[in-house]
Amino acid sequence: MDGAFFVGKSELLSWVNGLLQLNITRVEQMATGAAYCQIMDAVFPGCINLGKVNWMAKYDHEYTQNFKLLQAAFDKNNVQKHIEVEKLIKAKSLDNLEFMQWFKRFVDLNYRGGDYPALERRRGAKTPWDLGERTGPVQAAQTRPQNAQPRNPRPAESSKAPQPKAKPVREARPDESEVARQIAELRLTSDSLEKERDFYFGKLRAIELFCEHYEDQGNPIVMEIQKILFATDEENVAVNDDGTVSITPIEQE
């Protein structure tokens, strides 16, 4: 399986937010299809009329309309990809994660690079994930604490003898060989974690495909397994004594 399919949620969300200047916080929020439409515009400018994208979509039929725009753009640019709209609009984490992973790989292969004027291309359209208004950096010379006293002019002569300057203290530098050893250990740990992540992701994906095969049969065991698979990071999953699964929202502190 291509390594792109093991890109994590955080990296994917950071990528989308950086490209589109948004603040999407969950993979499930991509189920509206709106963000994908603008990413497609970044890859093939003008291939989608962004004025038709419904950024404030709340219902399945509105999500579907956004994905229709995306599929039309795929077809127009000979992108051989059928969008499984019925799965994506259910806002299940694994389905949307898989599509995001594919989409990032697609963009990496086709995006010409350079800065993408996301806000300008949206032409003021509001989204549920708009960033707060930004202000430019303030020059230090233009600001002064409210209670700060004005500087006194330097006297022509000073009666005090000049004070000797303190010698700067040289910072202790860690041994380079020790730093190299720590870096090597971190790399080994990172490689091990990536392999473990890939292993368990493959297991979860296999279980998901297995459940989909029996989904239409109304098998109660399969339905309970799907509850576990599709629970979000804002939900608690508990297996009851009778084998059923309970999903409850995590209480916010």
Side-chain angles (χ1 to χ4, degrees), residues 177-225:
S177 61
E178 176 63 18
V179 173
R181 184 188 66 79
Q182 293 178 1
I183 292 174
E185 288 183 356
L186 289 173
R187 285 176 177 170
L188 287 173
T189 301
S190 177
D191 291 343
S192 176
L193 290 173
E194 286 183 4
K195 289 179 180 179
E196 185 176 2
R197 177 196 65 186
D198 296 349
F199 173 78
Y200 286 110
F201 183 85
K203 293 282 188 183
L204 286 171
R205 183 58 181 152
I207 294 171
E208 182 186 13
L209 293 173
F210 173 82
C211 291
E212 287 179 359
H213 183 74
Y214 295 99
E215 188 174 20
D216 296 335
Q217 300 181 14
N219 188 306
I221 296 178
V222 170
M223 295 173 65
E224 295 302 299
I225 293 174

